[in-house]
Amino acid sequence: MSSLSSSVVKSVLLHSAIGGLLFATANFQVDTPSVMKVTLNPQQKDQKPERAVSAVSVDQQAVEKKIADLKKREEEKQAAEDRRIRDLEQRAQQARKDREAEARHIKKLEQERQAKLEETRQAEAQAKRAREIEKKQREQADKARAEKAAAEEAAKKAAAQRQAEEDRLRKAEEARKRREAEEKRKAEEAERQRQKALEEQMLRDQLAKEQAARAKIRQQQVLSEVDKFKALIMQRIQANLLIDETMKGKQCRVNIRLAFNGLVTHVESLGGDKLVCEAAIRAVKMADTLPVSKDKDVFEQLKNINLTIKPNF
């Protein structure tokens, strides 16, 4: 493109130079040779004829020489002008040839430019088609990769779900087995506990029976001891009881509280004949201490007792 622009500039400058030269030639004016006016043999009154003829002869030669010189200069000038014109014509012809050559060159350059443009256009079209094909292939490749990735992801998810389901089923099976084992263990433990409880109940029942038997025996022993000490206490009170005929057939119920050593801590009447009650309270206080057992169970039955006092006659 720069070569074409340079050629165009050169052509324009050359044409401008030729035009200017032609313009200068068209305005060029050839000097028209002037004819020397010579007055031949002027009449002089005072000049001698011989000298006049001689002068006229000399002047004529000078004129002819002058004319010849002028003619020669005119011929030389005409020849120079002819050469100049021929040179201008040659230059114009050369300029025309150069212009034609330049035009051909420009045309060739234009054809080359158009060819290059066409080549470029075709190349660009091919490149565009190639880019479109490449883009389509890339899109297809991207789509294929995306589909492959999606398929791989789906397969991975399916595998993960399958693994998760297998893990869930495995854990459920393990939980079921643990539950069954735990239920079996609990059932066995419950059976052992039931057997143990049954055995313990049987032992308790046996012990209860034995304890009941022993308690009964003990109770009988305690009651026997209590009755014995009640009899002793009653005997002590009767020994200190002051009676008369008016008390015959009468009685009094009293409450007596004893310390662990038999010391009377409290005595009161619970109802009965007044005289018998007074005599009974007086007899208890006179005794101060009453017989008690060292056996704790027996003492528990004696520490707070109620007695019915009847005077003995």
Side-chain angles (χ1 to χ4, degrees), residues 39-170:
T39 304
L40 298 176
N41 298 322
Q43 296 296 324
Q44 296 181 1
K45 296 179 178 181
D46 296 336
Q47 193 172 19
K48 293 181 177 182
E50 295 83 1
R51 296 182 62 184
V53 173
S54 177
V56 169
S57 178
V58 172
D59 291 338
Q60 185 63 34
Q61 291 176 354
V63 168
E64 291 177 354
K65 185 179 180 182
K66 183 67 172 177
I67 290 171
D69 291 338
L70 289 173
K71 186 177 180 180
K72 184 178 180 181
R73 285 199 297 274
E74 183 65 25
E75 290 176 352
E76 291 177 351
K77 183 181 290 187
Q78 186 64 38
E81 180 63 18
D82 291 341
R83 288 193 301 272
R84 188 180 69 79
I85 291 173
R86 283 195 302 274
D87 183 61
L88 287 174
E89 288 177 349
Q90 290 176 355
R91 289 183 182 181
Q93 187 177 5
Q94 185 64 38
R96 187 170 57 255
K97 290 180 179 179
D98 292 343
R99 191 166 58 251
E100 291 174 354
E102 182 66 21
R104 288 193 299 274
H105 180 64
I106 291 173
K107 184 177 180 181
K108 182 180 179 181
L109 291 175
E110 181 63 20
Q111 290 175 349
E112 292 177 353
R113 187 181 71 82
Q114 290 296 333
K116 288 183 178 179
L117 286 175
E118 180 64 19
E119 183 180 354
T120 302
R121 186 185 65 77
Q122 292 180 0
E124 288 179 350
Q126 292 177 356
K128 183 178 180 181
R129 286 194 297 272
R131 285 194 300 272
E132 290 176 352
I133 293 172
E134 182 183 0
K135 181 181 178 182
K136 188 175 181 180
Q137 291 176 347
R138 188 168 57 251
E139 289 175 350
Q140 290 177 350
D142 292 341
K143 184 179 179 181
R145 282 194 297 272
E147 290 176 351
K148 182 181 178 181
E152 290 177 352
E153 184 65 21
K156 187 185 293 184
K157 286 183 179 179
Q161 290 176 353
R162 185 172 61 253
Q163 184 64 39
E165 182 64 16
E166 290 177 356
D167 292 341
R168 187 185 68 78
L169 293 174
R170 179 178 55 79

Side-chain angles (χ1 to χ4, degrees), residues 228-286:
K228 183 181 76 172
F229 278 93
K230 279 185 177 181
L232 292 173
I233 292 171
M234 184 65 73
Q235 184 180 1
R236 178 75 58 87
I237 293 171
Q238 288 289 345
N240 295 326
L241 184 64
L242 298 177
I243 60 175
D244 59 23
E245 290 295 330
T246 58
M247 298 178 183
K248 189 175 181 180
K250 298 178 180 178
Q251 63 182 13
C252 178
R253 188 170 178 78
V254 295
N255 173 257
I256 302 171
R257 296 179 189 176
L258 302 174
F260 69 93
N261 56 359
L263 180 66
V264 177
T265 60
H266 179 75
V267 60
E268 65 177 340
S269 171
L270 298 179
D273 182 74
K274 181 178 179 183
L275 293 176
V276 175
C277 288
E278 290 176 354
I281 291 172
R282 203 168 34 249
V284 171
K285 289 181 178 180
M286 287 177 62

